[in-house]
Amino acid sequence: MNSREKKIQTPLTEDVIQGLKAGDAVRITGILFTARDAAHQRLVSAIQAGQSLPFDLRGQIIYYVGPTPPPPGKPIGSAGPTTSYRMDVYVPYLLEKGLKGMIGKGARSQKVKEDLQKHKALYFGAVGGAGALLARYIHSATVIAYEDLGPEAIRKLQVVNFPAVVINDTYGGDLYEQGKQKYRQT
């Protein structure tokens, strides 16, 4: 860790969310929940059917990851982020239920960025291609729902100092756009 990184805990609080801006490097400690395309589809179907969800979304962060099987003595295998835009269609439903953060890679749609502002939530980026390194920050991993989805099952992860960067904040900040502007100015 360096002195410019901000340590944050889950579940996310309004104060923490408001204190983060696009470009801030963070270290997350607490619980993350995993979910990818198929799990998101099931979560939204449950919401639309008025059914209860397998975990309370309020204040939580979903990590877009489909980890590999754990090697002997480890809680999880490689756990790198997947491309986020595939989940964009599901995000509004989850934010309505209290989701406050997502971790993935790649840009989000304009609608998702607007919904992040509306619901005071954040989108974090994790380094793609570094799944084996990111797994070092995961101290436990337990399947809690949709076990039939294999790597895409929903897992509850206990993380300590998990590294991420705020890509989209609640103020409309977008690190990808800021980077483009900086490049154009040089």
Side-chain angles (χ1 to χ4, degrees), residues 13-61:
T13 64
E14 190 172 323
D15 288 344
V16 167
I17 292 167
Q18 290 178 347
L20 294 172
K21 302 265 193 298
D24 286 346
V26 298
R27 292 291 184 133
I28 304 166
T29 296
I31 301 297
L32 301 178
F33 292 92
T34 69
R36 286 183 46 160
D37 314 50
H40 273 75
Q41 185 176 20
R42 288 188 186 179
L43 289 170
V44 170
S45 291
I47 291 168
Q48 292 173 328
Q51 300 169 347
S52 61
L53 297 177
F55 65 99
D56 186 353
L57 287 168
R58 290 176 293 179
Q60 301 303 329
I61 298 174

Side-chain angles (χ1 to χ4, degrees), residues 8 10-13 17 20 28 31-34 40 55 57-64 91 94-95 98-104 108 112 116 119-125 168 170:
I8 63 173
T10 64
L12 296 178
T13 64
I17 292 167
L20 294 172
I28 304 166
I31 301 297
L32 301 178
F33 292 92
T34 69
H40 273 75
F55 65 99
L57 287 168
R58 290 176 293 179
Q60 301 303 329
I61 298 174
I62 291 180
Y63 182 23
Y64 302 148
V91 169
L94 303 179
L95 291 174
L99 182 68
K100 290 298 179 184
M102 296 153 280
I103 302 172
R108 305 312 294 264
V112 167
L116 291 172
H119 295 283
K120 295 183 174 38
L122 302 164
Y123 171 56
F124 301 94
N168 298 112
T170 63

